[in-house]
Structures are given as C-alpha cells and as structure tokens.
C-alpha cells in the first residue's frame, strides 16, 4: 500500500511529463511489429507477396531505419523535445495514411521504413532519454511508468484492429490510425509538453521533488563512451534479450509445433507475458531507483535465462507459460533500466547520442535475428539446439556484465 501510494503521489506531482512519456510510448505502437503484423495477410494478398517476400521487405525496412538511428538519436541532445515529438508523430501519421492509400510497392516500402524509424525506434528512444534526463532519483520509476504505454498498446490495439478490419477493411483502419495520430495524438503530446521547461542542454532536468542538491559531475560524450571497455562489456546484456525475444516470437508457430503446444494455448500464455511485463516494469523501476541500474542489470536478465531453460527442457503446457512469464519479467525490467544505466555511468548531457548507438545495434539485430533463426531451421538444426545457443549467448553476456560491474558501489 505504501509503495502504491508513493507512486500515485509521484504521478500526481509530475503528471504532465509522465503522461507525455506514457502516451508517446502508446502512440509508438502504430509503428511496432506486433501492430503491423496483424495486417500481414491482407497486405500480402493486395500486393501479391508471399510471406517470405513480405518478411524480407519488412526486415530491409528495419535495417535501413537502423542506419539512421545514430544521427536521429543524437538530435534528442540538441533539439527541443516539443519539436522532435511533434515531427515523430507527424511522420508516423503520414506513413500510416500512405500505407493505407497506396497500391505501389515502392510506397509500401517507404511507409514501412517510416514506421520503423518512428514508432519502431525513435519514439521509444526519445521517451526514455527524456525521462532519464528529467528525473534523477525517480529515473527508474518514471521510465517504467512510461513503458506501460507499450503494454497498453499491446493489450488494446490488436483487439481493436482486428475488429475494425472485419468492419471496414484494413486500408480504412490504417486511414483511421493516421487520422487519430494527426488529429488527436499530436495535439495532446504538444499540450502536455508545452509548459514544461525541457532544456536538452541541461545536465539534469526539472526534477523538482526528487533531484539531489548536486548535479551529476561526469558528462561523457559519445566518443568517450565508445572508447570505454565497460560500454562493450555491458551492451550485449542490453541488446541481446529484445533481439532474441523477437526471433523467438517470429517463429512461435514452428516452436509450438515442435513442442506439441497449440497456437491457441501459446496465445493465451501471452496474458502471462503481458502481466509479468507490467509487474516487473514497476517493481524493477523502484529497485533501480533504490539500488542503481548497474546492480539490477543481471537480476533483470535471470528470468529470461530461466524461461529459455523452460523452453529447452519443457514440453508441458505449464512450460509454455513459464517460458513466456520469464521473458515478460526480463522485458519489464529492461523497460526500467534501458536509459537509467547509461545515465548513471555517462551522465545525461549526451545520453541521446550514447543510447542511440545501443539502439541502432538492437534495431539491426531485430532485423537479422528472425532471419537467422529461420536460416538455422532451414539447415535442419533442431529448435532445441537454437534455444540452447540463445541461452549460452545470454549467459555469456551476463558473465561479461558481471565482470564489468563487479565490486562497484552505487556511486562509483
């Protein structure tokens, strides 16, 4: 009760900036894989594409978008977030309307590219960097509250999209999505940010209630971070979980067949994934603020490793649930520390540029990992062998991170 009351008081005190982050993350859902994939069959029929051809186009759009991340991500350090946020929502809306209206394959590719740049990459990046810069002592909780926008989108939009598709067709559904973004989401985002003093050049933001009296002393540039061995030791533990989860989710049909699970049961287990993500995001947000993101990094990775072991050795229906719950716990934990850990180590002045490098690598792996998984399956490699390789990769990244953070105090 005390924890929930404290979170409510925090939200009431900082409702504008937290509402921006939550809504901005929700709005980014229109450019995320889970939403676009709902329309995959209709798109393939209208454009005469095979499932493989559509996946190649989508992967190419994701990889192309990833190449812009270091530049666009760095802009968050220098551009007024009001302008940045409006342009992101506007570009996402234009992509949605173009997606709905076109019969050209070239325009379809450009629309997918727009989705991956905005909703698939930069909107999440801008939200996390803004929260990490604006808050200090409540950085983890603020980021976790905003991440709830993603969970809300995952829970609400698929049901709404499927209903609207059946009622008015996929193209009009996307036109409605574009109109919502342009006429409702964009004005709300600007209104929420309008009266908040957000100087991108400030060392810390206006953390009125929770900021310590001193500002963070060390403000590393992106070049400083890329010259630091610790950066390369910690980055794999940050980028691997979401990339591996993307590959697993993309091939859930194959995994379900091998394990003897029905797709209906696996879909039902996603309720456990979503619930674990929400709970973990809030809990780890509090723990990050109390103990530091560096201390929590390995703890957020352990549930996914346990989930992979359940997937590797389990064949019962319960194993499917435990596997997805483990992945959800890690996903929620990463929502809380993905920006906080780099802010703790390198400061917030150049956080956008530093985090954009990690975000670019993650986006590249998003595009590569599903294809790599499929390629290994096509070669005749057993699914369990692939899962074991994923578990070993994750364990190796944890060892590297442990060596990099071993013996450090919260304030080191």
């Amino acid at each position: 009760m005390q924890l929930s009351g404290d979170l409510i008081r925090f939200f009431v005190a900082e409702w504008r900036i937290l509402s921006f982050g939550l809504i901005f993350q929700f709005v980014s859902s229109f450019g995320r894989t889970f939403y676009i994939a709902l329309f995959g069959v209709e798109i393939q029929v209208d454009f005469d594409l095979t499932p493989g051809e559509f996946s190649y186009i989508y992967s190419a759009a994701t990889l192309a978008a990833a190449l812009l991340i270091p530049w666009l991500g760095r802009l968050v350090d220098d551009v007024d977030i009001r302008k940045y946020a409006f342009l992101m929502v506007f570009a996402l809306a234009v992509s949605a309307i173009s997606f709905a209206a076109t019969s050209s394959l070239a325009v379809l590719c450009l629309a997918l590219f727009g989705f991956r740049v905005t909703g698939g990459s930069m909107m999440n990046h801008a939200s996390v960097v803004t929260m990490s810069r604006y808050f200090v002592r409540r950085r983890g909780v603020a980021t976790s509250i905003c991440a709830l926008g993603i969970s809300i989108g995952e829970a609400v939009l698929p049901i709404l999209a499927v209903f609207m598709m059946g009622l008015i067709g996929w193209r009009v559904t996307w036109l409605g999505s574009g109109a919502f973004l342009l006429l409702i989401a964009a004005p709300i985002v600007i209104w929420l940010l309008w009266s908040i003093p957000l100087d991108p050049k400030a060392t810390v933001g206006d953390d009125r209630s929770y900021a310590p009296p001193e500002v963070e002393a060390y403000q590393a540039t992106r070049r400083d971070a890329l010259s630091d061995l610790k950066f390369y030791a910690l980055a794999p533990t940050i980028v691997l979980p979401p990339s591996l989860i993307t590959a697993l989710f993309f091939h859930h049909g194959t995994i379900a067949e091998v394990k003897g699970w029905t797709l209906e049961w696996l879909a039902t287990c996603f309720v456990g994934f979503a619930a674990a993500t929400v709970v973990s995001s809030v809990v780890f947000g509090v723990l990050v603020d109390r103990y530091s993101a560096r201390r929590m990094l390995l703890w957020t990775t352990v549930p996914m490793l346990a989930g992979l072991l359940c997937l590797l050795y389990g064949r019962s229906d319960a194993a499917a649930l435990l596997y997805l719950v483990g992945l959800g716990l890690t996903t929620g934990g990463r929502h809380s520390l993905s920006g906080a850990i780099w802010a703790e180590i390198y400061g917030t002045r150049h956080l956008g540029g530093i985090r954009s490098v990690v975000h670019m690598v993650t986006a590249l792996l998003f595009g590569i990992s599903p294809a790599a998984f499929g390629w290994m399956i096509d070669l005749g490699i057993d699914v369990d062998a692939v899962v074991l390789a994923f578990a070993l990769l994750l364990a190796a990244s944890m060892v590297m991170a442990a060596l990099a953070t071993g013996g450090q105090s919260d304030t080191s």
Side-chain angles (χ1 to χ4, degrees):
M1 290 296 292
Q2 182 179 356
L3 175 60
S4 60
D6 189 40
L7 290 175
I8 292 171
R9 285 191 295 273
F10 173 57
F11 188 86
V12 170
E14 304 288 356
W15 69 272
R16 272 187 176 272
I17 186 67
L18 293 174
S19 295
F20 156 71
L22 191 150
I23 291 172
F24 207 55
Q25 291 280 38
F26 170 80
V27 168
S28 75
S29 298
F30 291 95
R32 291 179 178 271
T33 300
F34 80 87
Y35 188 71
I36 299 169
L38 295 169
F39 303 86
V41 174
E42 286 75 12
I43 293 167
Q44 291 163 32
V45 170
D46 274 23
F47 288 87
D48 193 24
L49 298 171
T50 67
E53 289 169 342
F54 181 58
S55 67
Y56 296 149
I57 290 171
Y58 190 74
S59 292
T62 300
L63 294 172
L67 298 178
L68 287 181
I69 290 176
W71 176 68
L72 288 174
R74 194 172 187 172
L75 287 179
V76 180
D77 294 330
D78 301 307
V79 176
D80 189 320
I81 190 61
R82 301 167 186 81
K83 297 177 182 177
Y84 194 98
F86 175 78
L87 288 175
M88 286 294 110
V89 178
F90 180 78
L92 182 58
V94 170
S95 298
I97 294 170
S98 302
F99 195 59
T102 187
S103 58
S104 164
L105 188 60
V107 176
L108 175 73
C109 294
L110 288 174
L112 289 172
F113 173 75
F115 289 145
R116 303 312 292 151
V117 169
T118 54
S121 297
M122 287 297 97
M123 294 177 73
N124 171 267
H125 176 70
S127 176
V128 171
V129 170
T130 301
M131 295 305 116
S132 298
R133 179 174 287 136
Y134 189 86
F135 296 103
V136 179
R137 291 182 180 172
R138 290 303 185 99
R139 185 177 283 148
V141 170
T143 307
S144 68
I145 289 174
C146 296
L148 295 177
I150 301 173
S151 299
I152 294 171
E154 291 171 339
V156 173
L157 290 181
I159 298 171
L160 186 60
V162 170
F163 173 76
M164 295 303 295
M165 252 196 299
L167 192 65
I168 57 178
W170 78 270
R171 289 186 181 273
V172 181
T173 300
W174 271 105
L175 280 175
S177 299
F180 167 79
L181 292 167
L182 203 58
L183 302 177
I184 298 176
I188 289 176
V189 165
I190 296 303
W191 173 70
L192 287 170
L193 289 175
W194 195 254
S195 62
I196 302 174
L198 291 171
D199 180 7
K201 294 181 173 59
T203 303
V204 295
D206 185 27
D207 195 353
R208 296 181 295 276
S209 302
Y210 303 101
E214 71 280 357
V215 297
E216 296 157 302
Y218 183 48
Q219 299 294 322
T221 64
R222 182 158 71 180
R223 178 175 294 182
D224 294 333
L226 294 177
S227 301
D228 184 10
L229 291 177
K230 185 188 299 180
F231 178 84
Y232 298 98
L234 295 176
T237 318
I238 300 294
V239 304
L240 277 176
S243 308
L244 298 181
I245 289 172
T246 298
L248 291 166
F249 283 6
F250 199 84
H251 292 281
H252 260 173
T254 301
I255 291 172
E257 183 179 353
V258 169
K259 294 293 180 178
W261 301 327
T262 65
L263 286 176
E264 290 79 9
W265 170 245
L266 204 55
T268 302
C269 291
F270 266 91
V271 176
F273 174 84
T277 299
V278 171
V279 172
S280 176
S281 180
V282 174
V283 170
F284 273 110
V286 174
L287 294 175
V288 163
D289 292 338
R290 183 171 298 177
Y291 298 108
S292 85
R294 282 170 287 182
R295 288 191 174 185
M296 289 297 105
L297 178 60
L298 294 180
W299 290 108
T300 64
T301 315
V302 169
M304 180 173 174
L305 185 58
L308 289 176
L309 293 177
C310 288
L311 176 60
L312 178 61
Y313 295 111
R315 291 186 178 272
S316 67
D317 286 350
L321 179 60
L322 291 173
Y323 148 67
L324 283 172
V325 167
L327 268 56
L329 291 172
T330 290
T331 299
R334 290 315 156 92
H335 287 165
S336 302
L337 62 76
S338 61
I341 191 165
W342 305 120
E344 287 179 8
I345 298 171
Y346 300 116
T348 58
R349 173 62 189 92
H350 302 283
L351 181 60
I354 294 168
R355 190 178 180 276
S356 68
V357 176
V358 180
H359 203 53
M360 178 192 71
V361 175
T362 305
L364 288 171
L365 290 176
F366 276 166
I368 294 170
S369 59
F373 193 121
W375 175 70
M376 286 186 281
I377 297 301
D378 289 342
L379 287 178
I381 299 174
D382 188 70
V383 167
D384 285 344
V386 178
V387 174
L388 177 60
F390 282 6
L392 292 174
L393 276 174
L394 193 62
S397 74
M398 293 171 67
V399 172
M400 291 174 59
L403 293 174
T405 57
Q408 291 185 341
S409 66
D410 283 354
T411 58
S412 60

